[in-house]
Amino acid sequence: EASPSPEAYAFLANVLENNDDSAGAVAMRLKSFELETDPLKKAKYKLKFAQAAKDRGQLSRARSLAREALRFNPRSGRAYLFIATLYQESVNDCGDNVFEKRMVYVAALNMAQRAASVDPSISSRARKYIKIYQGNVPSQKDIFNATAIPGGKFTIKCWIGETVRIPKK
């Protein structure tokens, strides 16, 4: 209380989180965020909140927080890569067959490509993700077997719920 700075509240939030007081940690993170005036720092706080939500298994909430970070800093490649990894980690939970599961990689690929395009400082890291995701998108055989139309739209099941384009090649 003696030094109610955003950094002090953020530090306290980490201490509380480490002591399994997630409710207290959330309250402290909110205080740190409310006190902060710099939009870039606000974006970083939102990404930290997103990571904490991910750690609790709240993937949809984590994505929402990462998107909030992007509202404060639209050029945050880290936020786009964070969303890409959320998608990647959900591949096996978001489809009933190979085609549907591999379409999750298309959504992850879109996020990684966006990261590389908006943030040159992480483009090298983003390219590594892009290469992995490109290697896992549905093959022409997968697309044919699913009776899907290359270039058409596909909505991913589960918490992701994004609509992406089916690869043409």
Side-chain angles (χ1 to χ4, degrees):
E1 283 305 318
S3 175
S5 69
E7 294 81 10
Y9 283 117
F11 176 78
L12 185 54
N14 289 335
V15 170
L16 292 170
E17 190 78 46
N18 290 338
N19 288 320
D20 296 323
D21 181 359
S22 57
V26 168
M28 292 302 111
R29 283 191 183 100
L30 287 174
K31 282 187 178 187
S32 68
F33 179 77
E34 289 166 2
L35 287 174
E36 188 54 65
T37 57
D38 181 347
L40 296 180
K41 287 183 180 179
K42 279 187 173 277
K44 286 181 183 180
Y45 279 123
K46 285 292 182 178
L47 268 181
K48 286 181 184 180
F49 301 166
Q51 182 62 52
K54 177 187 174 193
D55 293 345
R56 291 189 304 273
Q58 301 170 332
L59 303 182
S60 181
R61 177 82 178 126
R63 177 182 59 188
S64 294
L65 289 163
R67 286 178 174 165
E68 288 178 31
L70 287 165
R71 279 190 228 119
F72 289 102
N73 181 8
R75 301 191 60 79
S76 174
R78 289 183 61 219
Y80 284 110
L81 278 183
F82 179 81
I83 295 170
T85 60
L86 288 175
Y87 291 172
Q88 174 192 356
E89 292 172 11
S90 297
V91 165
N92 290 322
D93 301 323
C94 294
D96 297 328
N97 56 53
V98 172
F99 170 75
E100 291 177 359
K101 291 178 182 187
R102 288 184 175 261
M103 285 303 293
V104 176
Y105 282 107
V106 174
L109 175 62
N110 292 345
M111 289 294 135
Q113 289 172 330
R114 182 71 186 217
S117 72
V118 301
D119 190 348
S121 72
I122 62 145
S123 63
S124 172
R125 189 168 140 216
R127 281 194 300 273
K128 291 177 186 175
Y129 285 89
I130 290 168
K131 186 176 180 181
I132 292 166
Y133 300 151
Q134 283 176 330
N136 286 291
V137 299
S139 67
Q140 288 304 304
K141 181 180 175 184
D142 296 333
I143 295 167
F144 177 80
N145 288 340
T147 63
I149 300 168
K153 293 181 180 180
F154 178 79
T155 301
I156 297 168
K157 295 180 179 181
C158 79
W159 70 270
I160 295 175
E162 283 207 25
T163 299
V164 294
R165 291 241 175 242
I166 298 168
K168 287 185 178 182
K169 67 170 196 142

